[in-house]
Amino acid sequence: MALTARLNQLTYGDVDEVRARFAEITGAEPGDGFRLVPPFHADCGRTIRVGRHVFINQGCTFYSLAPITIGDEVLIGPNVSLITSGHPVAPSQRQALLVGAPITIERNVWIAAGATVIGGVTIGENSVVAAGSVVTRDVPPDTLVGGNPAGVIRSIEGD
């Protein structure tokens, strides 16, 4: 969290420094063409992996108890949350346990502003998550999803 505080002192124009700070947070270099607009929030970061030509807009939150894998050419809108951690539903276990499940975002996905993706979800190649959606289950490739919980709106094959 101290590393994210240092990253958040930077501006969009500090491209090389933002990239370096993000690499410190994740422990791995993001792919070529990576761009991030601060502020950015993370609880740990060591399980985040980012492909080539990924754009992460401002105000995003990545909680990475379990791995977050972001493929090439992904666009992540402002205020998107990727949350791999949660608590059991049972009241007797809620305070004692923290559980995690990975998030995988495949190539050429666009996650629009304010969306939330919950652990255990894979978003298929070329798909779009509409603004404000809450994604609680896998998204097939070439699909537009939206709502809470997110559901299929239509196929986007050939668009």
Side-chain angles (χ1 to χ4, degrees):
M1 289 186 177
L3 293 174
T4 59
R6 288 201 292 263
L7 181 147
N8 290 335
Q9 294 172 351
L10 302 171
T11 68
Y12 178 73
D14 299 320
V15 176
D16 293 336
E17 189 66 20
V18 166
R19 180 184 177 84
R21 296 279 188 216
F22 189 83
E24 281 183 278
I25 291 166
T26 63
E29 288 290 325
D32 294 338
F34 170 79
R35 295 296 297 265
L36 180 142
V37 182
F40 172 78
H41 307 283
D43 62 344
C44 176
R46 293 294 182 191
T47 62
I48 299 169
R49 295 295 174 263
V50 176
R52 297 178 307 111
H53 303 288
V54 169
F55 177 75
I56 301 170
N57 214 324
Q58 63 189 347
C60 290
T61 300
F62 292 9
Y63 279 9
S64 57
L65 176 67
I68 295 174
T69 305
I70 300 171
D72 296 341
E73 301 167 355
V74 168
L75 302 172
I76 299 178
N79 300 312
V80 166
S81 295
L82 305 180
I83 311 296
T84 67
S85 57
H87 298 275
V89 174
S92 63
Q93 297 176 351
R94 201 172 300 149
Q95 296 292 328
L97 295 175
L98 186 61
V99 296
I103 293 172
T104 302
I105 301 169
E106 295 181 349
R107 190 187 75 76
N108 202 33
V109 166
W110 172 27
I111 302 175
T116 298
V117 180
I118 302 302
V121 167
T122 295
I123 300 176
E125 184 173 6
N126 299 318
S127 291
V128 175
V129 175
S133 297
V134 178
V135 183
T136 61
R137 56 186 173 265
D138 289 351
V139 174
D142 303 301
T143 303
L144 170 63
V145 298
N148 182 2
V152 173
I153 296 172
R154 67 178 178 93
S155 171
I156 54 175
E157 287 184 77
D159 283 359

